[in-house]
């Protein structure tokens, strides 16, 4: 099969880790007889330098014309003084909106070989966990009405959380469908004891749940969920959240795995085209040193094969090669503990390729 992949390398370690993922994709193409055709586009700081804006129209058009998009990371101190509307990170929000991506899927699991890098107590880490956060991506407070005004106590600012039934229905369906392919359990996060938007969220999720009788549904307040995630993450299978709650909980969930350089994410809409990216940023502190861990981006490429192209065997092959590499004790600096020897970005990629 032939697929057009838009590569948005971005800034910092972005180019280094995307190139590692391309090497893995190329080997998959060779083994399984596919053709991946790459087109490269600028976004973030690199685009500001070239075009004066973080998300040029050319990048949007190129991504829209592709079968899927693989992104590295954007941002860095060089662009910190840009005005808010022109900051590199705006490129990600803009791409999600332009591609109509309303779902963010963020798996967080503990890799058995890395259990000693987990930040939780050893007895909790030993139980293991494998959850996925299904986060609504284009609604809620990040997109609601906002402003500054004069209030009774002087100047004030406000942001508004607003969700339509349609927005809640479509993300809830994704969560239940995801659960059907996993352990058939959804925990829906809200703050229904306080927020009206959360009460609509809860009612709507309950209605959608009736179409998925095999899936168990539990509601959890967001403050409790933040606590349960560190107390017993093995409790969770699929976690369904609004935009802001998902933003916060998914960072917490990723951090408890102890390995930010390991976690992939995908953003999807109503077509098969997705945006796949590691959850970490552009890591300016290690840029150019050749030591970035490429695994999150390589696993993001595997998610692309699975979710956008339906190539499950090929995605399994990449995930198995990564697991085998870790089981064989190969470590980049971010996941090494107790003085273990480490490899750089290129060597880690070589080791994974050797196990494909
Ligand atoms: P970061 O994720 O870039 O880095 C946090 C820490 O994790 C750093 O010490 C870094 O060296 C390390 N790290 C991250 N990825 C790693 C990898 N693959 N291998 C080894 N170590 C890794 O977060 P930050 O420092 O808060 O942000 C840096 C820049 O990235 C900022 O400009 C921020 O806005 C941007 N950012 C972009 C995205 C994105 O593009 N989606 C996400 C988060 C942050």
């Amino acid at each position: 099969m032939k697929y057009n992949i838009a590569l948005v390398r971005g800034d910092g370690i972005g180019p280094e880790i995307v190139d590692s993922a391309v090497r893995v994709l190329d080997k998959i193409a060779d083994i399984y007889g596919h053709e991946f055709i790459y087109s490269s586009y600028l976004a973030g700081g690199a685009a500001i330098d070239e075009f004066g804006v973080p998300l040029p129209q050319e990048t949007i058009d190129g991504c829209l014309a592709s079968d899927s998009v693989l992104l590295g990371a954007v941002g860095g101190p060089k662009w910190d003084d840009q005005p808010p509307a022109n900051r590199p990170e705006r490129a990600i929000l803009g791409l999600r909106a332009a591609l109509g991506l309303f779902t963010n899927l963020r798996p967080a699991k503990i890799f058995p070989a890395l259990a000693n890098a987990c930040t939780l107590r050893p007895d909790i880490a030993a139980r293991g966990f494998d959850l996925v956060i299904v986060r609504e991506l284009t609604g809620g407070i990040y997109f609601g009405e906002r402003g500054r005004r004069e209030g009774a106590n002087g100047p004030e600012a406000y942001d508004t959380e607003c969700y339509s039934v349609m927005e809640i229905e479509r993300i809830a369906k994704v969560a239940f469908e995801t659960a059907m392919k996993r352990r058939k359990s959804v925990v829906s996060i809200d703050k229904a004891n306080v927020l009206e938007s959360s009460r609509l969220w809860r009612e709507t999720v309950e209605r959608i749940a009736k179409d998925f009788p095999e899936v168990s549904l539990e509601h959890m307040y967001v403050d409790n969920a933040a606590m349960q995630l560190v107390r017993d993450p093995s409790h969770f299978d699929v976690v369904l959240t609004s935009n802001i709650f998902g933003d916060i909980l998914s960072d917490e969930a990723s951090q408890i795995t102890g390995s930010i350089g390991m976690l992939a994410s995908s953003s999807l809409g109503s077509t098969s085209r997705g945006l796949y990216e590691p959850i970490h940023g552009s890591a300016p502190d290690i840029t150019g040193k050749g030591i970035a861990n490429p695994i999150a981006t390589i696993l993001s490429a595997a998610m692309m094969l699975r979710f956008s192209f339906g190539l499950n065997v090929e995605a399994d092959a990449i995930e198995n090669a990564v697991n085998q590499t870790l089981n064989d004790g190969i470590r980049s600096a971010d996941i090494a503990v107790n003085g273990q020897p480490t490899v750089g970005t290129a060597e880690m990629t070589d080791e994974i390729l050797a196990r494909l």
Side-chain angles (χ1 to χ4, degrees):
M1 296 286 288
K2 198 168 164 177
Y3 301 95
N4 291 303
I5 300 176
L7 299 178
V8 182
R9 291 181 173 78
D11 309 313
I13 60 170
E16 305 167 38
I17 53 181
V18 168
D19 288 344
S20 288
V22 166
R23 290 179 61 203
V24 171
L25 285 172
D26 282 344
K27 179 137 187 205
I28 288 286
D30 279 352
I31 299 172
Y32 295 93
H34 302 301
E35 193 181 348
F36 297 129
I37 302 158
Y38 308 106
S39 311
S40 295
Y41 300 98
L42 294 178
I48 294 174
D49 289 350
E50 182 78 19
F51 299 102
V53 290
L55 184 61
Q57 192 59 41
E58 185 182 304
T59 299
I60 297 176
D61 293 343
C63 291
L64 280 170
S66 72
D67 295 316
S68 222
V69 183
L70 183 65
L71 185 137
V74 297
K78 182 177 175 193
W79 304 280
D80 274 352
D81 54 1
Q82 289 287 324
N86 213 46
R87 285 187 61 87
E89 295 78 8
R90 301 294 298 186
I92 309 246
L93 292 179
L95 259 185
R96 286 173 181 161
L99 300 179
L101 307 174
F102 60 84
T103 306
N104 186 227
L105 289 180
R106 266 194 187 193
K109 69 172 182 174
I110 197 149
F111 290 82
L114 298 182
N116 54 1
C118 175
T119 49
L120 298 177
R121 248 180 21 221
D123 59 310
I124 301 176
R127 271 181 243 157
F129 60 90
D130 176 1
L131 60 91
V132 56
I133 297 197
V134 177
R135 167 189 168 196
E136 201 288 327
L137 211 52
T138 53
I141 197 163
Y142 293 171
F143 292 87
E145 196 190 325
R146 71 196 58 192
R148 303 256 175 140
R149 63 188 171 200
E150 257 325 284
N153 300 312
E156 59 184 26
Y158 63 97
D159 298 274
T160 324
E161 172 88 350
C162 177
Y163 267 111
S164 67
V165 170
M166 181 278 287
E167 287 172 314
I168 305 167
E169 279 176 353
R170 69 181 180 183
I171 192 71
K173 274 185 198 144
V174 175
F176 284 101
E177 281 160 5
T178 306
M180 284 297 290
K181 296 183 207 140
R182 295 174 47 100
R183 303 195 302 278
K184 298 194 172 65
S185 150
V186 169
V187 177
S188 173
I189 309 297
D190 62 43
K191 189 72 185 165
N193 49 344
V194 180
L195 301 176
E196 194 54 36
S197 52
S198 279
R199 286 191 272 274
L200 180 67
W201 180 276
R202 198 175 270 223
E203 280 164 40
T204 309
V205 170
E206 273 176 5
R207 189 156 35 74
I208 297 297
K210 296 201 174 94
D211 297 336
F212 298 87
E214 286 174 61
V215 179
S216 77
L217 170 65
E218 180 186 353
H219 299 286
M220 200 179 273
Y221 296 139
V222 63
D223 39 351
N224 185 26
M227 204 166 65
Q228 297 304 329
L229 263 177
V230 286
R231 202 187 65 84
D232 183 15
S234 70
H235 176 73
F236 297 95
D237 176 19
V238 174
V239 182
L240 166 62
T241 75
S242 65
N243 203 343
I244 187 169
F245 294 162
D247 193 5
I248 298 164
L249 292 181
S250 60
D251 265 29
E252 185 188 359
S254 62
Q255 201 50 52
I256 57 176
T257 68
S259 43
I260 194 171
M262 301 285 307
L263 298 174
S265 85
S266 67
S267 302
L268 294 158
S270 48
T271 72
S272 61
R273 188 193 309 105
L275 173 69
Y276 297 85
E277 53 179 322
I279 65 138
H280 59 72
S282 58
D285 53 335
I286 57 166
T287 298
K289 293 186 179 162
I291 58 168
N293 184 351
I295 292 180
T297 315
I298 291 170
L299 292 176
S300 300
M303 281 179 103
M304 171 188 289
L305 300 186
R306 190 183 302 285
F307 294 142
S308 284
F309 305 159
L311 301 177
N312 291 319
V313 172
E314 291 83 342
D316 286 347
I318 296 177
E319 288 167 5
N320 290 338
V322 167
N323 277 329
Q324 196 52 53
T325 305
L326 295 171
N327 289 341
D328 291 345
I330 314 293
R331 298 284 184 273
S332 48
D334 58 311
I335 51 175
V337 288
N338 302 332
Q340 278 176 310
T342 61
V343 297
T345 313
E347 296 80 5
M348 178 62 94
T349 312
D350 292 342
E351 297 285 354
I352 293 168
L353 288 172
R355 289 165 179 78
L356 257 182

